Amino acid sequence: MINWIKWLVLGVFTLLSLAAIAVYISLRLSLPALDGNSATYHVVAPTELSRDNLGQAVINANDIFDAAYALGFAHAQDRFFQMDLQRRAASGNLSQWVGEIALDIDKKARFHQFEQRAKVVFENLPARQQDLLVRYAHGVNEGLSEFTLPPFEYLAAGVEIKQWQPTDSILVIYSMYLDLQGSQVEFDLAREALLNTFGEEVYNFITQPSNYQAALDASEIPLLEAAAPIYPAILRSPTDIMDTSSNSNTSQQSQAKEGMTPEISQSPTTINTAIARAQYNGTELPDIGSNNWAVTGAYTATGAGLLANDMHLGLRVPIIWYRAQLNYQESGSDVQVTGVSLPGLPGIVVGTNGHIAWGFTNANLDNVDWIELDEGTKTKTITERIPLPDGEHEFTLQISDFGPVKEVNGKRYALNWVAHHPFAANLSIVNFGTAKTVEAAMKVAKRIAIPTQNLVIVDENGSASWQPGGAVMAREQASFTAISEASANTSPKQAENLPQVINPDAGRIWTANARVISSEDFKTWGDGGYALGARGQQIRDRLFEKDTFSETDFYAIQLDNHARFLIPWQHLLYGLLNMKDVEFKPDLAYLNTWKECACEDSVGYTLVKHFRQEVIQTLFGDILSKLDKQGVNSRTLLRGIEPATWQLIYSQPDSWLPADTESFDELLVDAYRRAKHKLLDKYSPVEADMETLAWGKVNALSVEHPFAKQIPLVGNLLNMEKVEGFGDTYMPAVQAPSFGASERFFVSPGHLDDAILTLPGGQSGHPLSKFFTAGFNDYATHAATPLLPSQPIHRRTFYRKETE
């Protein structure tokens, strides 16, 4: 009997070992060839693709078209899985990969008909840009043709690789529209539902301006002077009361990031996000926010401008950005552009050419109109078929002359969104490569078509500038809720004469997804979902603390985790608990030593943050739930909920108290009890140990591969190492468990030896590549990774194949 068991165990071990060896061999066979020579019809002159010790792609080419080919080849070798997910996210084809769990995501994407629109955009591009996309696609497909075996994700999912088409690159741009502006689409409709359901008084109360305003011209939108409205009577019916326990994560998730998109399909490399979205049962994922700022040469030791940029996005394996340097000739001059590229697109998205440097944050101008259709307005029905692993799913949508149609609360609304128009996407961003001054770059910026961004540019002469960069719909005045058919613009055009700031008197520029434009311009360009403004204020104030800045000074601002925004909440909570000293004595000790920062060891920070979230959930949860039941995404309204919350805390109107609550103090203390118990239930359900609530543990950074949880035993090997969390929301150092700075970029043109580009992961998406984790340790330890590549350790050379 013992021998039988021994042989059984040995047999199982042998089978597992053989399976592991087979998997390893398969993975080795799918590693790309990084050295050697190749002949191709798709370069004009010899073109070199080298990689340094981080895997950074360095391309030396005759012209930008040969460079595009080589970049496509590199992207295919290292990141094709990511590229494929992005085109699937935009076209509504994720379900073919992950099954029915992504159907809702695909339906939302198909609502926009991006696959059809991509063809129209491509046909309207200038011939030069069409050629760039064609040459890039050739590079991608020739990179794919070299795989002995496809990347492991395709083997695991049983999905075949489809070749890259030039229009797929347009889909990648659309995926970024969904990622960066998708929340604007939902925001306008949520405001419309709020107004229609609860009336103008409640609408004005919840959407009121805040005192967190940091526009570049210091202009302010007047604050609301009206008293808090009576609590909506419509919600007093028991059937409308939301079970707050079933939505305990709602506020936490909704407010985790200022300005973040709610759409899962908006996330590049989005399978894991799609799965997570389905598990949230309709609650909101964190809001996206990004930072960039600059100073003129008057505030640097060198006299050149200095730029900082950190775009906050979802963090996963592989990371979104890809380090690259493109060297080529344009009009007889040498061009060198270094920065981050987006796999799926030729060119550098954020970077420097040595003369200028540029960076982006989401601008949140109003680019959306929901048009309330008249009763007699005709629509047509379109049938969409979404492929599944074992079949297909069929659904229909309505299309009007104004755009695709959604029904909310018995009314039909058509969507007119900038992303739906041919001027929404192009490749003009590659022209930054030849711009040598801020003024020249600003002219380029007027022609680029991407999701509208706060574009900040500096140059080696010391100039600095800001303007909205990207596609913006021309309009006479902004819309905040739905408009009538009579008011609708049936032929939208690209806006001209957008506001701009060049070399401001203060010598400083900052953006952080909040309102940057003047209060006067606000009437025209509106609010597409601005962040509250607390981050922007904190960055602005840091920039006025010194008179001279370096790259390391800017890095320190990016890592600023001072909890200035939460200080009033800490004071409120401490005062409340101090009146009940016996019950909350340990809590008071943690609050007293919270350090005013989102620091790794701060338990008090965790308590304050979750107290705020529970208070907001208690006060507004039923209102938001009522809107959600109408099919809108009410969580977009939470970006601006802070002033209404404090107005209630200060005025304490009885009508806002739950039926079984006698005072606001009782409401607030009960909210804290619930927040604390939820935290302990999650992090220490047996011991109820408060030390487990240290912020670094609660907010630990976890950069994971979307397939990691689906692969038993070894799935964790696909993830980056977990790191204790140090930042949070409403501060420059934005970080959540799977969200944060997707790049940390600090550069002064003309002084690139000091420039920094730190990324939260490696270049390659292949787990056996030496570039899989390269660079992540610098990110985790807040070290400075040089922007410029080091000496090459791998070289591929592409030669022109002569026709026979």
Side-chain angles (χ1 to χ4, degrees):
M1 181 66 176
I2 294 176
N3 286 338
W4 181 82
I5 294 174
K6 180 178 72 174
W7 285 108
L8 178 62
V9 171
L10 182 61
V12 171
F13 177 77
T14 301
L15 288 173
L16 290 174
S17 299
L18 290 173
I21 292 171
V23 169
Y24 179 80
I25 292 173
S26 297
L27 287 174
R28 292 292 302 178
L29 289 173
S30 64
L31 277 169
L34 304 183
D35 296 286
N37 300 326
S38 304
T40 174
Y41 293 116
H42 304 298
V43 297
V44 172
T47 301
E48 184 182 86
L49 164 61
S50 64
R51 289 176 171 87
D52 69 359
N53 59 2
L54 285 176
Q56 179 166 358
V58 180
I59 293 167
N60 289 281
N62 177 66
D63 58 26
I64 194 171
F65 301 101
D66 285 358
Y69 169 87
L71 185 60
F73 194 95
H75 283 166
Q77 287 189 312
D78 291 329
R79 297 288 190 85
F80 187 73
F81 169 63
Q82 172 190 350
M83 297 163 60
D84 199 357
L85 285 180
Q86 285 183 275
R87 67 175 170 181
R88 286 175 179 273
S91 61
N93 283 296
L94 285 173
S95 298
Q96 187 177 22
W97 208 317
V98 300
E100 293 184 359
I101 195 170
L103 271 178
D104 286 344
I105 312 304
D106 283 344
K107 289 178 184 178
K108 288 183 178 180
R110 299 251 178 158
F111 180 79
H112 301 292
Q113 301 285 286
F114 282 142
E115 197 158 21
Q116 297 87 329
R117 298 186 196 281
K119 297 173 183 177
V120 175
V121 167
F122 181 79
E123 291 168 359
N124 282 276
L125 288 177
R128 170 184 165 90
Q129 295 185 22
Q130 289 181 345
D131 291 346
L132 269 178
L133 290 179
V134 169
R135 194 77 70 85
Y136 176 83
H138 283 311
V140 172
N141 292 327
E142 293 197 349
L144 293 177
S145 70
E146 290 194 354
F147 281 121
T148 305
L149 284 178
F152 81 93
E153 294 92 348
Y154 293 88
L155 296 174
V159 176
E160 293 184 1
I161 289 180
K162 293 183 178 180
Q163 285 207 321
W164 194 260
Q165 303 298 321
T167 52
D168 290 337
S169 292
I170 306 299
L171 287 174
V172 171
I173 296 176
Y174 282 140
S175 77
M176 296 309 294
Y177 265 101
L178 289 169
D179 202 356
L180 300 173
Q181 290 192 359
S183 61
Q184 297 181 10
V185 173
E186 298 194 338
F187 187 38
D188 268 20
L189 206 55
R191 289 188 291 205
E192 170 74 6
L194 177 67
L195 180 62
N196 286 342
T197 304
F198 297 107
E200 188 172 353
E201 192 176 13
V202 171
Y203 172 86
N204 290 337
F205 174 64
I206 288 180
T207 62
Q208 64 179 290
S210 79
N211 58 342
Y212 291 101
Q213 299 185 44
L216 290 178
D217 70 341
S219 62
E220 295 190 358
I221 297 171
L223 303 182
L224 183 71
E225 296 182 355
I230 295 173
Y231 190 77
I234 191 175
L235 294 175
R236 290 306 183 190
S237 168
T239 58
D240 288 323
I241 300 300
M242 180 174 65
D243 178 5
T244 57
S245 64
S246 67
N247 290 276
S248 60
N249 289 326
T250 296
S251 293
Q252 176 183 347
Q253 299 299 332
S254 302
Q255 299 161 67
K257 295 283 160 295
E258 295 179 48
M260 178 186 266
T261 179
E263 291 289 343
I264 200 133
S265 58
Q266 298 163 5
S267 236
T269 63
T270 187
I271 279 187
N272 60 328
T273 317
I275 294 170
R277 171 79 175 191
Q279 293 171 343
Y280 277 113
N281 296 320
T283 59
E284 216 32 53
L285 292 174
D287 283 344
I288 285 180
S290 301
N291 304 325
N292 64 3
W293 62 90
V295 294
T296 63
Y299 296 93
T300 66
T302 64
L306 182 61
L307 170 74
N309 196 84
D310 54 293
M311 296 177 283
H312 302 150
L313 294 165
L315 302 181
R316 58 192 61 82
V317 177
I319 57 176
I320 182 172
W321 304 116
Y322 185 85
R323 304 175 69 103
Q325 182 183 87
L326 309 183
N327 299 275
Y328 57 91
Q329 284 204 328
E330 185 90 17
S331 301
S333 298
D334 292 334
V335 177
Q336 181 183 87
V337 191
T338 312
V340 294
S341 62
L342 178 62
L345 289 173
I348 299 298
V349 176
V350 165
T352 178
N353 65 5
H355 304 287
I356 65 164
W358 68 94
F360 295 117
T361 70
N362 214 16
N364 293 319
L365 300 185
D366 179 21
N367 262 320
V368 173
D369 284 326
W370 282 99
I371 301 155
E372 184 177 344
L373 299 181
D374 298 336
E375 273 191 34
T377 299
K378 293 182 179 180
T379 63
K380 63 179 179 180
T381 301
I382 291 180
T383 300
E384 291 283 325
R385 292 177 173 85
I386 301 175
L388 294 168
D390 55 356
E392 65 179 21
H393 176 84
E394 183 178 298
F395 82 103
T396 59
L397 64 146
Q398 299 297 309
I399 303 291
S400 74
D401 291 340
F402 300 97
V405 177
K406 181 171 182 175
E407 185 171 322
V408 176
N409 211 18
K411 296 181 179 180
R412 297 179 305 158
Y413 298 92
L415 175 61
N416 176 24
W417 182 23
V418 67
H420 292 173
H421 301 294
F423 60 82
N426 65 31
L427 293 184
S428 294
I429 194 171
V430 301
N431 295 327
F432 280 141
T434 56
K436 294 186 176 181
T437 65
V438 157
E439 290 75 13
M442 296 281 272
K443 291 179 181 177
V444 172
K446 292 179 179 180
R447 297 191 295 273
I448 66 174
I450 57 175
T452 315
Q453 301 291 292
N454 289 309
L455 171 60
V456 175
I457 310 170
V458 298
D459 68 24
E460 60 186 333
N461 302 316
S463 290
S465 66
W466 162 87
Q467 75 174 43
V472 181
M473 287 197 300
R475 56 180 67 240
E476 293 183 4
Q477 77 176 50
S479 64
F480 295 85
T481 56
I483 63 175
S484 66
E485 287 189 19
S487 303
N489 183 352
T490 56
S491 301
K493 296 180 180 178
Q494 166 74 17
E496 298 178 357
N497 301 318
L498 289 164
Q500 58 181 220
V501 173
I502 301 178
N503 293 330
D505 292 341
R508 299 162 173 89
I509 290 171
W510 58 90
T511 85
N513 308 109
R515 178 177 63 88
V516 175
I517 59 177
S518 70
S519 56
E520 188 62 29
D521 285 333
F522 178 78
K523 299 172 185 176
T524 303
W525 306 113
D527 178 4
Y530 290 127
L532 180 66
R535 247 185 319 121
Q537 280 191 352
Q538 197 159 327
I539 292 168
R540 176 200 64 191
D541 294 349
R542 294 296 187 222
L543 290 174
F544 281 92
E545 289 177 350
K546 298 185 67 174
D547 291 328
T548 305
F549 293 91
S550 66
E551 290 84 351
T552 54
D553 294 326
F554 271 18
Y555 205 149
I557 296 175
Q558 202 275 328
L559 298 176
D560 177 16
N561 65 352
H562 181 224
R564 189 166 74 173
F565 172 76
L566 283 183
I567 289 174
W569 286 96
Q570 190 270 353
H571 290 168
L572 173 66
L573 181 57
Y574 191 89
L576 288 165
L577 302 192
N578 200 37
M579 295 186 293
K580 300 177 180 289
D581 181 63
V582 175
E583 180 184 355
F584 296 112
K585 191 171 184 178
D587 310 63
L588 288 166
Y590 286 118
L591 292 174
N592 201 35
T593 57
W594 77 307
K595 298 183 179 180
E596 292 189 1
C597 67
C599 296
E600 293 92 332
D601 59 348
S602 179
V603 174
Y605 182 88
T606 305
L607 299 177
V608 174
K609 175 185 174 68
H610 285 263
F611 165 63
R612 174 184 178 269
Q613 292 172 347
E614 193 65 31
V615 170
I616 292 171
Q617 172 69 20
T618 301
L619 292 172
F620 299 101
D622 292 348
I623 292 175
L624 300 183
S625 180
K626 183 75 174 179
L627 299 178
D628 288 339
K629 291 173 183 176
Q630 299 174 19
V632 302
N633 187 347
S634 69
R635 270 56 193 179
T636 56
L637 298 168
L638 284 170
R639 294 194 190 102
I641 204 68
E642 191 74 1
T645 305
W646 278 105
Q647 188 174 352
L648 292 175
I649 291 171
Y650 285 134
S651 62
Q652 302 192 356
D654 289 340
S655 69
W656 284 77
L657 290 174
D660 57 348
T661 305
E662 294 184 358
S663 69
F664 255 80
D665 282 0
E666 182 183 341
L667 179 151
L668 296 170
V669 172
D670 283 347
Y672 172 72
R673 287 192 183 100
R674 286 193 301 275
K676 174 183 171 181
H677 290 153
K678 289 174 185 177
L679 284 165
L680 290 173
D681 285 347
K682 181 175 181 179
Y683 296 101
S684 185
V686 178
E687 296 87 358
D689 180 7
M690 295 279 282
E691 289 294 324
T692 63
L693 305 185
W695 183 242
K697 297 182 178 70
V698 171
N699 196 44
L701 178 63
S702 183
V703 182
E704 298 183 349
H705 190 283
F707 281 7
K709 288 184 172 63
Q710 282 72 50
I711 300 177
L713 301 179
V714 296
N716 283 337
L717 298 178
L718 300 176
N719 302 331
M720 299 296 112
E721 182 181 356
K722 272 199 172 185
V723 179
E724 284 199 341
F726 76 100
D728 190 24
T729 137
Y730 302 112
M731 59 183 59
V734 170
Q735 193 226 292
S738 58
F739 182 87
S742 62
E743 40 84 65
R744 297 173 181 150
F745 181 52
F746 312 97
V747 60
S748 181
H751 306 276
L752 300 191
D753 288 339
D754 297 319
I756 298 167
L757 176 60
T758 305
L759 299 180
Q763 283 282 94
S764 174
H766 197 295
L768 295 187
S769 169
K770 58 188 170 185
F771 305 132
F772 185 63
T773 62
F776 177 75
N777 188 62
D778 280 358
Y779 185 89
T781 59
H782 308 157
T785 308
L787 165 71
L788 293 179
S790 57
Q791 291 299 311
I793 60 175
H794 294 286
R795 281 192 177 89
R796 283 289 300 261
T797 303
F798 307 99
Y799 295 97
R800 174 75 178 180
K801 182 186 289 187
E802 299 299 332
T803 57
E804 295 181 359

